[in-house]
Amino acid sequence: MGAADMTQQSGRIWVMGGRPLNGTAAIPAAKNSVLPLLAAALLCRGPVRLRAVPRLSDVECSLGLLRGAGCAAYWQGADIVVAGMPSNSTLPGETAAQMRASILFCAPLLARLGRAETSLPGGCNIGARPIDLHLEGLARMGAKELDAVAGKLVLAAPGGLHGADITLRFPSVGATETLLLAAVCARGTTVLRGAAREPEISDLTEFLNRCGGRIEGRRGLSGCDFSPLPDRIFASTLACAVAAAGGRVELTGCPPALYAPVLEILEQMGCTVERGADRAEVARFGRLYGAGRVFTGVYPGLATDAAPLLAAAMLCAEGESSIEDVIFERRFGCAEGFERLGGRVKRAGRVLSVGPLPESGLHGAALTAPDLRGGAALVVAALSARGKSLVEETRHID
Ligand code: EPU
């Protein structure tokens, strides 16, 4: 993309804002698809190749978990190859504690080795992130939680996992993934009711089916060569950046239907969106209007991850907007940074109210990334602000 001026040093991003964005950006594979796919590789006897994976810190962390479990996991150009069966049921604690998605590696270890030990998962501080739905489901399939020191989780299924009829009281993305991973190698049939239906879940089921997962009673899945789906949140990030800073950007390699709610809200705010089969062109040359009241929801609703990014675009609008995240209670940790940039925001519980852009516009400021999407939202807002901003703690964004 052109015009924006950003430099990155370790842990910091400098942004020279106030210039429109122009150009073309290819959307990479989705982080939230790649992580469960890497966990699924633990179930496979044959090698797994994931195509064109972005080098993100959570991806490196996942490779560390796979190696800790005894698999070979390495980069081949932009692809990741995972080979060999797991031999160690204890995940490296420090690596596991760094990211929420480490919990996804437990079900495959349980299925393959009858035991899984991990540190309780960390991840972005965007609200309470319990794992009760993962554990309750696994318990229904025959897993037992053993006594463990504080901060550790030890699960065992000495007799193997068996199929079960499970109803989730909330369509948790992670719990659905855990239970799919457990079910595919369990004895018998599992019925999962109230499951999440995010595109990343469809990507995982497609991968498992490609590896022979429909075939009952198979001891291990074959591997496969797989291209994970494109990152709808990354595409949403760039679309919101164009809305905030102005300009015209073509986003290629991602069907706009995957992030339709974001594009529709941006259109209502005054952006133009031209859609193709797997591309969208987002432009904003004129005024930006308030969005009114907006809510997140489970797919196909507005993604919770897109909420702070849309809020960054709302900061630049002439009218009022409000956005509520119904999934996570601390989604708008970026509100303080928005204020430092001169934005008019008020946070009340899960709702962020955004007032009209001040006449003087936004100005550069020193900012701290509170979490991944909140940090990205600060970069988006800084792109639209006059002058220089410094964003620190960018490990969340990496
Ligand atoms: N929940 C429970 N119990 C559980 C699991 C979840 O109560 O056992 C609740 C959570 O507290 C939360 C809600 O269910 O209120 C949604 O959580 P979910 O399990 O769906 O989210 P997740 O699997 O932890 C994934 C993404 C998140 C994304 C959410 C929602 C990955 C690695 N993470 O998290 O992505 O926000 O789904 O779509 O896939 C991000 O990429 O920045 C990110 C946070």
Side-chain angles (χ1 to χ4, degrees), residues 34-109:
V34 169
L35 306 183
L37 293 174
L38 289 174
L42 285 171
L43 295 169
C44 298
R45 270 179 298 168
V48 168
R49 175 181 293 272
L50 297 187
R51 297 256 171 204
V53 175
R55 287 188 185 248
L56 307 173
S57 59
D58 280 2
V59 172
E60 295 292 355
C61 193
S62 301
L63 296 187
L65 295 178
L66 289 170
R67 290 180 194 129
C71 298
Y74 52 91
W75 291 96
Q76 221 169 53
D79 296 354
I80 288 178
V81 177
V82 184
M85 298 292 288
S87 52
N88 178 7
S89 62
T90 303
L91 292 169
E94 241 177 73
T95 314
Q98 274 169 35
M99 76 169 183
R100 167 85 183 168
S102 58
I103 188 68
L104 301 177
F105 290 71
C106 289
L109 288 180

Side-chain angles (χ1 to χ4, degrees), residues 31-32 100 128-133 172-174 305 327 373:
K31 165 183 81 81
N32 289 347
R100 167 85 183 168
R129 299 184 76 182
I131 51 170
D132 55 327
L133 295 172
S172 152
V173 173
D305 291 329
I327 314 287
R373 308 301 171 185

Side-chain angles (χ1 to χ4, degrees), residues 106-196:
C106 289
L109 288 180
L110 261 181
R112 305 300 306 139
L113 302 174
R115 181 182 180 278
E117 177 173 339
T118 187
S119 291
L120 287 170
C124 285
N125 180 21
I126 51 181
R129 299 184 76 182
I131 51 170
D132 55 327
L133 295 172
H134 300 241
L135 298 181
E136 284 166 21
L138 289 174
R140 297 287 304 277
M141 298 174 77
K144 290 197 169 35
E145 195 177 334
L146 305 183
D147 286 340
V149 295
K152 293 270 180 201
L153 173 71
V154 184
L155 297 169
L161 296 171
H162 53 75
D165 191 319
I166 299 168
T167 302
L168 292 178
R169 62 177 179 279
F170 179 84
S172 152
V173 173
T176 301
E177 289 164 348
T178 279
L179 299 177
L180 279 173
L181 292 167
V184 76
C185 286
R187 284 189 316 277
T189 304
T190 300
V191 181
L192 194 52
R193 303 178 197 274

